[in-house]
Amino acid sequence: MRLAIIGLVLLVAGGITVATGVLPWQDVAALVHRVAPILGFVVAMTVVTELVSEAGAFRWIARHLRGWGRGRSVLLWLLLALFATLSTVFLSLDTTAVLLTPVVVTVARQAGLPVLPFALTTVWLANTASLLLPISNLTNLLAQHNLGGISPAQFAQLMWAPSLAAVLVPLAFIAVLFRRELRKSYALDSARPVLTPSSTAGTDRVLLTGSATVLVLLLPALISGAAIWIPAAAAAAILAVMFAIRRPKVLKLTLIPWSLLLFTCGLFLVVEATQYLGASRLLGQVAGEGSGFVELLRLAMTGALGSNVVNNLPAYLLAEPLAGSPERMAALLVGVNAGPLITPWASLATLLWHDRLVRMNVLIKWKGYAVFGVMVAPLTILAAVAALAVFGPGGLLG
């Protein structure tokens, strides 16, 4: 509700800028043309992931993860980290924050292990692992458009090295910080069926198999180079038909992320208006220019700072005009995707993650979260930008 209220305020403010002529109508039309397919994809993928979760796919994986961990905390942690990484890369960071967090907490509890290292791994990877593909993060989709609509394969070729670094550094940090907890073992016979707040009904094997099949077919379609909203919308429609037949009560208007849509639309309008007031020019004095290591690091740190002060989406939008080359665009994405690890509002995924923890009576203080973030965020950005400078276009080994 708070997100919807903020979105409504932003939308009204943006409407005032249009009505007063600060933001010309032709620019609003161009903005709609750019972001409408992206928002359509976000809506469709939200419906897909929610219905796949309702079918029990995430719970099925969680049940098997405990067995695959073989009673070793570190192995279970690595498997959950892999699950979080794949979920973020192929289904987006918000999916990991919303759907995977309850599963991770439940798995840790039922194995009798501390929740904190698993919960931190989930939220950090939800942010830092969102660099590899356009579908991993809304900022990536905007960057893909700005880069001339390059294919997902070309995007991954640009981002693979910083993406790998951005995953490994937080994992290394957690491995060192929670080394005692990760040395523990757990009893395999303690594994019980995983129940999440949404799993009030028994598992429907037809829905589980059908949803898993749709998801498996959807993933390659999303990286095929076709307009991503088309396969996402098709998958959402197929799943909706399946649930209409098997479990019609699940199909509600709340499946659509209305608050997120309202917030995003209002934010786009306001940030677009600030561009006309010279915000990007002022930011350029901080972000600098050039494609050397120091210049790329400067841009990435600017994006990270803006993300933690305001939010990663407006930070990206304001700095986008300053990213005039693929290398600089990649550095900006490192900052706004891997940098929002300090303040709770830095990314929507972090707020969604914390909301799920509160619902499960897991207490994590923002002060402690910020202290950890201050340590890991700069190291992650430094490593990711260094990887970009070495393996990226024009790099030493690129």
Side-chain angles (χ1 to χ4, degrees):
M1 180 60 68
R2 283 186 297 234
L3 189 65
I5 294 173
I6 295 172
L8 183 59
V9 171
L10 290 172
L11 202 58
V12 170
I16 292 174
T17 64
V18 176
T20 56
V22 174
L23 185 59
W25 277 105
Q26 57 267 30
D27 290 301
V28 175
L31 180 65
V32 171
H33 178 74
R34 178 188 181 188
V35 304
I38 295 174
L39 293 180
F41 165 76
V42 170
V43 171
M45 280 304 297
T46 300
V47 173
V48 168
T49 52
E50 288 285 356
L51 292 180
V52 168
S53 177
E54 284 288 346
F58 283 82
R59 298 191 298 276
W60 184 90
I61 294 174
R63 281 198 297 271
H64 288 77
L65 282 177
R66 288 198 305 275
W68 295 337
R70 299 186 178 184
R72 298 173 58 191
S73 176
V74 65
L75 183 55
L76 179 62
W77 171 69
L78 288 173
L79 287 170
L80 287 170
L82 177 62
F83 189 15
T85 300
L86 294 176
S87 171
T88 301
V89 169
F90 292 103
L91 297 176
S92 86
L93 72 169
D94 294 336
T95 296
T96 299
V98 173
L99 300 181
L100 188 57
T101 298
V103 171
V104 167
V105 171
T106 304
V107 169
R109 280 176 168 172
Q110 294 194 346
L113 299 173
V115 171
L116 184 57
F118 295 90
L120 273 181
T121 299
T122 303
V123 70
W124 281 355
L125 289 180
N127 287 284
T128 65
S130 66
L131 284 166
L132 186 61
L133 293 176
I135 60 175
S136 307
N137 200 319
L138 179 56
T139 56
N140 295 0
L141 292 170
L142 295 168
Q144 182 190 26
H145 183 277
N146 189 265
L147 290 169
I150 61 175
S151 69
Q154 291 172 317
F155 190 95
Q157 186 177 7
L158 173 65
M159 299 302 300
W160 74 267
S163 178
L164 181 61
V167 168
L168 293 178
V169 171
L171 289 180
F173 187 88
I174 289 177
V176 173
L177 188 65
F178 297 101
R179 56 190 179 278
R180 292 182 180 178
E181 289 84 350
L182 295 178
R183 290 193 189 116
K184 294 181 178 181
S185 59
Y186 62 92
L188 290 175
D189 60 1
S190 67
R192 299 185 300 273
V194 174
L195 297 176
T196 62
S198 63
S199 59
T200 55
T203 301
D204 185 322
R205 293 190 176 276
V206 174
L207 277 181
L208 177 59
T209 304
S211 299
T213 302
V214 170
L215 188 61
V216 169
L217 294 175
L218 173 62
L219 296 183
L222 290 175
I223 60 175
S224 65
I228 55 174
W229 67 270
I230 298 176
I238 294 171
L239 288 172
V241 171
M242 291 170 55
F243 272 84
I245 297 173
R246 306 288 298 187
R247 289 176 59 191
K249 292 182 179 181
V250 171
L251 298 178
K252 302 176 182 178
L253 286 177
T254 52
L255 287 174
I256 298 175
W258 300 109
S259 297
L260 177 60
L261 282 177
L262 195 61
F263 173 77
T264 305
C265 290
L267 193 60
F268 275 131
L269 270 179
V270 170
V271 173
E272 188 73 14
T274 61
Q275 303 282 16
Y276 282 87
L277 299 177
S280 292
R281 289 193 297 273
L282 292 175
L283 191 62
Q285 298 177 9
V286 179
E289 56 186 21
S291 298
F293 171 72
V294 175
E295 290 79 10
L296 294 178
L297 183 61
R298 184 176 172 183
L299 177 58
M301 288 297 185
T302 301
L305 178 62
S307 297
N308 285 287
V309 171
V310 187
N311 178 268
N312 66 334
L313 185 55
Y316 168 82
L317 292 171
L318 288 173
E320 186 183 61
L322 309 175
S325 67
E327 298 94 330
R328 287 184 63 80
M329 180 59 74
L332 175 59
L333 289 176
V334 167
V336 299
N337 289 10
L341 304 180
I342 302 172
T343 58
W345 56 80
S347 79
L348 179 62
T350 303
L351 292 173
L352 294 172
W353 165 80
H354 188 261
D355 177 67
R356 291 303 184 273
L357 293 182
V358 170
R359 294 186 186 188
M360 300 189 74
N361 295 317
V362 177
L363 177 62
I364 293 183
K365 296 182 179 179
W366 285 123
K367 181 179 179 181
Y369 178 85
V371 169
F372 287 151
V374 166
M375 291 186 283
V376 75
L379 293 175
T380 303
I381 294 171
L382 181 63
V385 173
L388 175 65
V390 174
F391 296 102
L396 297 177
L397 300 177

